[in-house]
Amino acid sequence: MGTYAVTGAASGMGAAVVDRLVGDGHTVIGVDIKEADVVADLSTPEGRRTAATAVLDRAGGVLDGAVLAAGLGPAPGRDRARLIAEVNYLGVVELLEAWRPALAAAERAKVVVFSSNSTTTMPMVPRRAVRALLDRDVPKALGSLRMFGKMAPSFAYGASKIAVSQWVRRQAVTREWAGAGIRLNAIAPGAILTPLLEQQLATPAEAKRINAFPVPIGGFGDPGQLAAWVVFMLSDAADFLCGSVVFVDGGSDAWFRADDWPRAVPAVRLRRYLARMRSFRAY
């Protein structure tokens, strides 16, 4: 049995993951802003440091895996866009960087980061906001979103999920992660019937917008189903899974971009592609 850290452990999909892991006999160190083993506010640098250190102390310096499920969605509020950027991006990458030595110590550790199908179904997300988050410049990212006014939190959400997915893809294949035996992947849910979604569906205007969104199989996903996917991605069966973003969204991503992916490497990138091939050595 292993030891796993789970952020966003107190509710929604994070709680469903905790239930599955505990039910399978694993030790889980839950992180959340309340009602968790480690109580920390991931929207602040101090909170992220507290979460990182407390988990390492409880794990004894060895983690068999981690699930980064903590996240904020769009909602009214002057500071909401900043909170989304801090929690959804920095609340993932800063914790994982702090935990990486403990994950490497387990030799075959698995990490699952919660992304979203908004990464490919949400239009007009500014690339400069994504680039700024990847550079960890939250003020610059927020500056690029001011033009959207009250819609800024929605675009902050999209930018945060694109940025964290790109971070996963970039880091997963490096010597520090793949080379250390850590399998780093992301899961991209669609509309999952969590308490947050139920609250949104209780508002007629929100319900109309949500129900109009294309989900080819119809309906909403179940948190338990997502948890089963996460547990698989943490298992030995996922040893060959590296740098993947797995969409579990009822077909929405495929509906929007059926012909966009997979796509061959463009000819204009051939020189860089060949250079990387020549420089590669198995870790």
Side-chain angles (χ1 to χ4, degrees), residues 208-229:
K208 183 177 180 180
R209 178 183 62 81
I210 292 168
N211 289 321
F213 189 81
V215 181
I217 69 168
F220 305 109
D222 177 83
Q225 295 170 339
L226 261 292
W229 271 98

Side-chain angles (χ1 to χ4, degrees), residues 136-148:
R136 309 194 191 192
D137 190 339
V138 171
K140 185 175 180 180
L142 298 179
S144 71
L145 299 173
R146 288 198 185 99
M147 70 178 77
F148 296 105

Side-chain angles (χ1 to χ4, degrees), residues 46-261:
E46 181 182 29
R48 294 190 289 273
R49 286 192 296 269
T50 296
T53 302
V55 166
L56 291 174
D57 288 344
R58 286 173 173 262
V62 180
L63 279 172
D64 295 283
V67 178
L68 286 297
L72 295 177
R78 183 177 180 181
D79 205 33
R80 189 67 175 188
R82 183 193 66 80
L83 295 174
I84 289 170
E86 297 267 4
V87 174
N88 294 10
Y89 186 72
L90 296 181
V92 173
V93 302
E94 290 184 4
L95 265 59
L96 284 179
E97 287 173 346
W99 294 344
R100 192 189 62 78
L103 291 161
E107 297 183 353
R108 295 176 66 190
K110 310 291 193 306
V111 175
V112 180
V113 171
F114 268 66
S115 176
S116 166
N117 73 343
S118 66
T119 54
T120 58
T121 64
M122 184 176 183
M124 296 176 60
V125 177
R127 291 184 181 179
R128 58 187 179 277
V130 175
R131 289 194 297 266
L133 289 177
L134 287 166
D135 291 337
R136 309 194 191 192
D137 190 339
V138 171
K140 185 175 180 180
L142 298 179
S144 71
L145 299 173
R146 288 198 185 99
M147 70 178 77
F148 296 105
K150 293 181 179 179
M151 291 297 294
S154 294
F155 288 97
Y157 179 82
S160 72
K161 292 301 185 178
I162 293 171
V164 82
S165 298
Q166 291 185 0
W167 183 88
V168 166
R169 296 274 289 171
R170 292 178 181 184
Q171 298 301 316
V173 297
T174 64
R175 188 177 303 276
E176 291 75 18
W177 292 88
I182 308 167
R183 298 298 175 257
L184 175 58
N185 296 284
I187 190 166
I192 309 300
L193 199 56
T194 60
L196 175 60
L197 181 58
E198 291 176 343
Q199 181 181 354
Q200 292 173 321
L201 290 171
T203 304
E206 282 287 301
K208 183 177 180 180
R209 178 183 62 81
I210 292 168
N211 289 321
F213 189 81
V215 181
I217 69 168
F220 305 109
D222 177 83
Q225 295 170 339
L226 261 292
W229 271 98
V230 171
V231 170
F232 165 75
M233 294 169 73
L234 295 172
S235 73
D236 291 345
D239 277 352
F240 208 54
L241 192 68
C242 178
S244 294
V245 180
V246 179
F247 285 82
V248 185
D249 69 347
S252 298
D253 171 65
W255 192 90
F256 276 100
R257 56 168 199 154
D259 299 325
D260 292 352
W261 182 262

